[in-house]
Amino acid sequence: MKLERTLVFLKPDAFKRSIAGEIISRFERRGFLIAGMKLIKISEEFARRHYAAHKGKDFYEPLINYVIRGPSLVIVLEGKNAVSVVREMMGETFGSDSAPGTIRGDYALSNRYNLIHGSDSPEAAEQEIHCFFKPQELVSYGKDDVEWIYDVTDSDIV
Ligand code: UDP
Ligand code: MG
């Protein structure tokens, strides 16, 4: 089993509402390793490119205005099935649709101000990680860091 990487960013509302730390803690406690992290203000040009798939939709312009309103914390998380597990931990797109126990289900109600972005496929993850990070900005952890998160006593990580 190979550990997978995914990209998340905590959107400006996570900072304005002072819950960025709590969200990071959830990923740490689940067992994800943080392979990269940086606080940035996403530029309008970058936001438009990142959300290009939504161009033309009624929420595209307000979405761009939202993500450039304040700082975002961009994080690369590494772990088993990282892309799908993180998406599940995030909840549904709309806060009010999200189950309690998920990030959006515990902290969000809005259709737009939903705290977090997460890559929606391994291909998107690879592309988004490349957009936000240079290879030398990512850190690979040794086996000793994961040996109490997974069983690594065999040849495989389980
Ligand atoms: N969004 C919105 N209105 C909508 C749908 C989405 O404002 O009707 C915003 C919301 O912040 C969401 C982002 O656009 O996180 C990207 O939408 P997507 O469908 O990709 O949702 P996600 O993958 O973030 O759950
Ligand atoms: Mg999406």
Side-chain angles (χ1 to χ4, degrees):
M1 194 262 296
K2 199 181 160 292
L3 298 184
E4 186 176 73
R5 283 178 172 177
T6 191
L7 182 120
V8 305
F9 58 79
L10 307 188
K11 296 173 177 177
D13 47 333
F15 284 88
K16 299 294 182 181
R17 296 178 51 202
S18 305
I19 49 179
E22 289 198 34
I23 297 171
I24 297 167
S25 288
R26 291 177 172 231
F27 294 123
E28 284 190 305
R29 290 199 306 248
R30 185 75 188 256
F32 286 110
L33 304 177
I34 295 172
M37 176 146 77
K38 62 173 142 186
L39 185 72
I40 60 168
K41 191 154 186 298
I42 293 178
S43 70
E44 183 177 334
E45 189 198 345
F46 199 100
R48 287 188 183 282
R49 227 178 313 129
H50 176 79
Y51 283 118
H54 296 305
K55 196 170 175 192
K57 297 181 186 166
D58 58 347
F59 63 85
Y60 179 70
E61 294 298 330
L63 168 61
I64 301 304
N65 291 334
Y66 160 39
V67 295
I68 67 174
R69 266 190 78 184
S72 291
L73 186 69
V74 198
I75 309 170
V76 176
L77 296 170
E78 188 175 278
K80 184 180 179 183
N81 295 339
V83 172
S84 60
V85 171
V86 167
R87 289 285 295 188
E88 213 170 330
M89 289 175 72
M90 285 165 51
E92 303 300 322
T93 299
F94 296 173
S96 59
D97 287 346
S98 298
T102 64
I103 293 163
R104 290 166 174 171
D106 285 346
Y107 301 116
L109 287 168
S110 168
N111 295 359
R112 180 164 308 126
Y113 282 25
N114 58 8
L115 302 166
I116 183 167
H117 164 82
S119 307
D120 62 7
S121 68
E123 297 71 38
E126 204 168 304
Q127 188 253 326
E128 291 174 2
I129 291 168
H130 178 76
C131 281
F132 283 99
F133 290 91
K134 299 190 182 92
Q136 64 267 29
E137 291 174 328
L138 298 174
V139 181
S140 270
Y141 289 58
K143 212 178 180 189
D144 50 335
D145 294 295
V146 296
E147 70 180 12
W148 286 106
I149 298 169
Y150 308 97
D151 189 344
V152 298
T153 53
D154 220 342
S155 57
D156 204 6
I157 298 175
V158 181

